[in-house]
Amino acid sequence: MQFNPYGGEAARLAADLVNSTALWPPHELEQILAAHGVVNRALTPPQTVEIWEWSRRLARCFGDQSLDERCERINALLAEVASTPRISLHDGTPHMHYSAPGSDPAAHIKAVTATGLSYVVCSASPTRLGRCARSVCELAFVDTSRNGRRAYCSVRCANNDAVARHRASRPSGRSETRPRPRRLRVRALDA
């Protein structure tokens, strides 16, 4: 599935922010943002904390939930950012920006990620904001597969879960290795 950079890519940024397990130093967060095409001026430590707190709120938008619940959560985020979308021509091609020029970097990131989630829900499918089905993982992801049925954050988690299910399905007491086949002895017949 193809996403435009200010929609699906912003949702993938939201997933990466959600999947962070600890507050980032500003330079690390800037690298995450740059990887998603969000280039801003340097972040201050308080802005980094604000984005960390925002990421905890974004987390509630991923995973199994009713459409009403998901839309209510995303609408609450959109209401908080209350940005004014505008068309920008800074690179010669018209595209949408969701914050004013020179806005606070944290406000910009909040507007972009909230809008990205709304874009996925409205343009693709609400179920594309998923959580890994592997019980020990549960990372957030944006399903960009063609059929929209992705259940795992990565191929590695899918494979590990399949192996675990296979091992769990074996009858108890069964050996991990297959028994070696017995060799039959054949006697030569006397003529």
Side-chain angles (χ1 to χ4, degrees):
M1 165 166 221
Q2 285 285 17
F3 283 135
N4 74 36
Y6 289 95
E9 189 60 37
R12 286 193 285 253
L13 168 61
D16 281 352
L17 295 176
V18 165
N19 292 335
S20 297
T21 57
L23 179 65
W24 325 266
H27 70 279
E28 284 183 20
L29 179 55
E30 291 164 7
Q31 291 173 354
I32 293 169
L33 299 173
H36 290 280
V38 178
V39 181
N40 266 313
R41 55 191 180 272
L43 295 167
T44 65
Q47 289 167 334
T48 304
V49 170
E50 184 178 352
I51 295 167
W52 169 256
E53 291 169 354
W54 178 255
S55 72
R56 302 306 91 191
R57 294 185 56 211
L58 291 170
R60 298 179 202 134
C61 300
F62 289 86
D64 289 335
Q65 54 195 274
S66 72
L67 177 59
D68 289 340
E69 191 175 24
R70 189 181 317 271
C71 289
E72 184 178 310
R73 289 175 173 165
I74 294 172
N75 280 336
L77 297 174
L78 289 167
E80 184 176 323
V81 297
S83 65
T84 305
R86 64 185 177 80
I87 298 172
S88 173
L89 294 169
H90 69 80
D91 64 357
T93 306
H95 58 272
M96 293 296 295
H97 275 241
Y98 296 99
S99 60
S103 66
D104 174 75
H108 173 72
I109 292 158
K110 290 164 73 172
V112 165
T113 53
T115 304
L117 295 180
S118 68
Y119 171 83
V120 170
V121 168
C122 296
S123 299
S125 169
T127 59
R128 289 186 180 262
L129 299 176
R131 290 268 183 191
C132 188
R134 188 172 173 222
S135 62
V136 297
C137 179
E138 296 183 351
L139 287 178
F141 65 88
V142 179
D143 181 357
T144 58
S145 67
R146 180 175 287 183
N147 66 6
R149 298 185 193 276
R150 185 171 151 195
Y152 297 93
C153 68
S154 65
V155 172
R156 183 179 191 165
C157 272
N159 289 342
N160 287 341
D161 202 39
V163 168
R165 283 191 319 271
H166 173 72
R167 287 180 179 160
S169 71
R170 287 183 169 175
S172 62
R174 186 171 167 187
S175 172
E176 285 293 317
T177 59
R178 292 183 179 179
R180 297 177 85 184
R182 289 178 129 183
R183 288 189 156 186
L184 299 175
R185 291 186 177 194
V186 180
R187 283 190 186 174
L189 298 173
D190 291 332

